[in-house]
Amino acid sequence: MKTRVTELLGIEYPIFQGGMAWVAEYHLAAAVSEAGGLGIIGAANAPAQWVRDQIRKVKEITDKPFGVNVMLLSPYAEEVAQVIAEEGVRVVTTGAGNPEKYLELWKASGAKVIPVVASVALAKRMERCGVDAVIAEGCESGGHIGELTTMTLVPQIADAVQIPVIGAGGVGDGRGMAAMFMLGAEAVQIGTRFVVAKESQVHENYKKRVIGAKDIDSVVTGRSTGHPVRLIRNKMTREYLKLEKEGASFEEMENLTIGGLRRAVVEGDVTEGNVMAGQIAGLIHKEQSCKEIIEELMDETAALFGSCEKWVK
Ligand code: TUI
């Protein structure tokens, strides 16, 4: 399947693996890239040296293209941006902000730059700044989210910019992927389904919680603080939402979540930790290898495209 995105990046399939904090480390990224998608290391709040090690480990496993995601709220964003340029990373995605100040550095190093945007305004601004594509991520996603749904965001951004659009948020199978293409996307980014991939190093309890989740099992905390985050409902989210309703201080709420993602991903504490996952978790029923996931997505998508004519007969 050829699109402007597969051509731009030299990848076989138009599938990105989301740069998920604590989850998107080198085993997962290398497996996705080896399978023909775009594996992405999630720099999240990690120090630059960790990111450099991860980049080198991916390179030991695969010669195929991979990316690094920079979480712009990270205290280490500046140093991580430098490491990306120094290591010659070919694809950079960004999240949770406006990456303008790093564009010159990354373009000079030869990287393709693909920011996550949650609005038409930022998408247009990024295009003017010379980015290569944008990821339009709707609020079905896990983790830090914007306001609009994928269904409404993707076509509005596809109309507003000339550069390619990658659709993200709520994609879990070939139906979701085909739908993204219908909305104007030329690739998809998938997070939650890769959380439960065989190569994903997250704790067994986390995988079980995602696989066991129903459609309505995710909630959004932090709407009142301006940092909305989608997670699977548990003891922590119930306490957080109660505090939020009571108008508790930012510090009080923060204290509940500090280190919570690490506790869930690494230690398997899915009761009091942060179990970030998208709304599509209810559709995800089993652990598969990255290769199986990508092949299944492509087969399902191709079958749907092939059967399109049944609607116009
Ligand atoms: O970044 C994400 N998802 C994330 S980051 C993360 S780590 C974290 N944990 C707790 C609190 C905050 C972060 C977990 N999940 N997705 C990409 C994304 N970017 N979604 C929405 C946005 C976004 C929002 C506003 C991008 C740009 C933006 O623009 C702001 C501006 O400056 O115009």
Side-chain angles (χ1 to χ4, degrees), residues 21 71 73 95-98 116-118 122 137 142-146 227 229 276:
M71 209 279 283
L73 296 171
N98 179 340
V116 170
V117 294
L122 189 60
E137 185 185 286
H144 179 75
I145 52 172
H227 291 292
V229 173
M276 294 185 186

Side-chain angles (χ1 to χ4, degrees), residues 212-235:
K214 295 193 301 294
D215 53 351
I216 55 169
D217 280 352
S218 80
V219 292
V220 178
T221 61
R223 287 208 193 276
S224 65
T225 66
H227 291 292
V229 173
R230 181 177 301 285
L231 322 107
I232 305 272
R233 181 201 309 279
N234 63 7
K235 182 160 179 263

